[in-house]
């Protein structure tokens, strides 16, 4: 895969700032590394690859928090439209870390607020003030519940109207029960484009029969590593599909 990425023209972080997706729509797809290699061969003439100091497939590390009653997981499990997630994300290549709150409203739009941090200590005044402003749950009710490590490729189309993130080598560690899950060849793709502007990658995805597929890393990782404390009924069909992709 890294050899394939070498054939792409690079784009820097500064150059990517011009890709302002003001009317953004997000669509997720799930596949495996075999299909991904085919997709990367097809897309190399139409897309740049993000390059950070020579790295084109850098590591990301994420720790999700939830309440002690797992309210945020439950909101998603039962299909509530207004829901939130909170996470600490570390960009391993630079060491930068952010605390992020994602809020999805009943119109399907997701808003992300974040601040740069240096640790996950929630007693710090700046973090508490940020959470009191952006999170609908009490700060003192939060606990770390899931860690997720993965590699991410970022492609930008040459029309500068969309970004494509491609996550591979996903590994989940449940911080409440010690269970782990290596997702092997599973690949999670997210297309972020400017409204309904033409997308070259959509045609390629259809050719490869890679269909849209919702995938929340927090919820899927929790469901895959859960014991009896978490309900997984709503995710059973997705879990079956994911396990089929892993075994292909």
């Amino acid at each position: 895969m890294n050899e394939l990425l070498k054939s792409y023209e690079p784009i820097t972080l500064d150059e990517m700032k011009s890709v302002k997706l003001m009317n953004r729509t997000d669509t997720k797809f799930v596949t495996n590394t075999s299909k991904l290699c085919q997709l990367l061969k097809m897309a190399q003439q139409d897309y740049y690859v993000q390059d950070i100091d020579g790295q084109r497939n850098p590591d990301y590390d994420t720790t999700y928090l939830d309440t002690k009653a797992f309210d945020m997981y439950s909101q998603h499990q039962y299909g509530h439209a207004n829901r939130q997630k909170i996470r600490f994300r570390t960009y391993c290549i630079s060491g930068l870390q952010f605390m992020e709150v994602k809020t999805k409203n009943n119109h399907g739009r997701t808003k992300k607020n974040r601040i740069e941090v240096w640790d996950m200590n929630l007693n710090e005044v700046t973090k508490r003030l940020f959470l009191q402003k952006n999170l609908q749950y009490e700060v003192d009710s939060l606990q770390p519940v899931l860690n997720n490590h993965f590699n991410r490729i970022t492609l930008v189309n040459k029309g500068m109207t969309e970004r494509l993130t491609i996550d591979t080598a996903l590994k989940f560690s449940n911080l409440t029960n010690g269970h782990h899950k290596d997702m092997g060849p599973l690949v999670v793709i997210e297309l972020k484009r400017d409204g309904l502007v033409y997308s070259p990658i959509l045609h390629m995805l259809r050719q490869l029969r890679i269909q849209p597929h919702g995938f929340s890393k927090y919820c899927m990782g929790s469901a895959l590593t859960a014991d009896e404390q978490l309900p997984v009924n709503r995710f059973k069909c997705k879990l079956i599909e994911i396990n089929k992709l892993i075994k292909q």
Side-chain angles (χ1 to χ4, degrees):
M1 192 182 305
N2 288 333
E3 287 302 313
L4 273 173
L5 293 176
K6 288 179 183 178
S7 66
Y8 278 73
E9 292 182 57
I11 187 169
T12 66
L13 280 173
D14 283 341
E15 290 169 330
M16 281 182 59
K17 290 177 182 176
S18 66
V19 187
K20 297 186 184 298
L21 307 180
M22 303 304 291
N23 186 29
R24 191 173 98 178
T25 60
D26 298 348
T27 311
K28 286 185 180 178
F29 304 82
V30 179
T31 186
N32 54 37
T33 50
S34 177
K35 285 277 186 76
L36 172 60
C37 288
Q38 294 178 60
L39 181 67
L40 290 174
K41 288 176 184 176
M42 295 167 69
Q44 57 189 336
Q45 299 303 316
D46 296 297
Y47 287 82
Y48 302 109
V49 65
Q50 178 182 281
D51 186 295
I52 305 173
D53 298 329
Q55 295 288 325
R56 299 187 173 193
N57 191 18
D59 295 54
Y60 285 60
D61 192 85
T62 306
T63 297
Y64 292 92
L65 282 69
D66 206 332
T67 66
K68 294 176 176 63
F70 294 91
D71 292 302
M72 285 176 252
Y73 175 89
S74 297
Q75 290 284 309
H76 201 293
Q77 157 75 11
Y78 295 114
H80 293 183
N82 289 295
R83 55 182 184 257
Q84 290 189 304
K85 289 178 197 166
I86 172 174
R87 68 191 185 193
F88 286 90
R89 170 155 289 176
T90 303
Y91 298 83
C92 300
I93 189 173
S94 63
L96 288 174
Q97 185 179 54
F98 294 88
M99 180 169 66
E100 303 177 341
V101 173
K102 295 181 75 173
T103 305
K104 187 168 187 177
N105 64 26
N106 54 11
H107 300 293
R109 293 286 178 177
T110 299
K111 179 181 179 182
K112 181 168 73 173
N113 294 291
R114 73 177 191 174
I115 57 169
E116 186 176 353
V117 297
W118 288 266
D119 57 40
M120 291 190 286
N121 178 12
L122 294 182
N123 291 320
E124 188 180 278
V125 173
T126 304
K127 294 192 191 81
R128 294 183 75 88
L129 291 174
F130 171 81
L131 292 175
Q132 287 165 8
K133 179 180 178 181
N134 295 289
L135 191 70
Q136 62 193 33
Y137 302 95
E138 290 293 330
V139 178
D140 291 331
S141 71
L142 300 175
Q143 62 175 346
V145 293
L146 186 77
N147 179 264
N148 172 218
H149 194 92
F150 59 94
N151 292 84
R152 171 167 287 182
I153 299 163
T154 302
L155 303 183
V156 179
N157 73 322
K158 292 188 176 178
M160 306 294 273
T161 58
E162 68 183 30
R163 291 195 301 270
L164 194 74
T165 59
I166 303 169
D167 297 343
T168 62
L170 281 84
K171 295 180 178 65
F172 294 111
S173 296
N174 193 305
L175 303 177
T176 65
N177 61 22
H179 296 170
H180 303 277
K181 181 69 174 179
D182 187 327
M183 302 307 293
L186 191 79
V187 176
V188 179
I189 299 170
E190 185 167 10
L191 172 61
K192 305 169 185 181
R193 60 177 176 146
D194 196 358
L196 298 177
V197 171
Y198 170 72
S199 168
I201 206 73
L202 276 179
H203 177 65
M204 301 174 202
L205 288 164
R206 291 190 193 104
Q207 281 186 296
L208 294 171
R209 297 182 180 178
I210 300 173
Q211 304 297 327
H213 189 294
F215 189 99
S216 159
K217 291 190 186 72
Y218 172 49
C219 291
M220 289 296 100
S222 296
L224 285 160
T225 59
D227 47 31
E228 294 180 359
Q229 73 185 114
L230 291 181
V232 299
N233 293 343
R234 187 171 178 265
F235 301 131
K236 276 188 176 178
C237 289
K238 286 185 179 179
L239 294 174
I240 290 169
E241 292 174 24
I242 288 165
N243 282 322
K244 284 181 182 177
L245 284 168
I246 292 173
K247 292 175 182 177
Q248 286 180 2

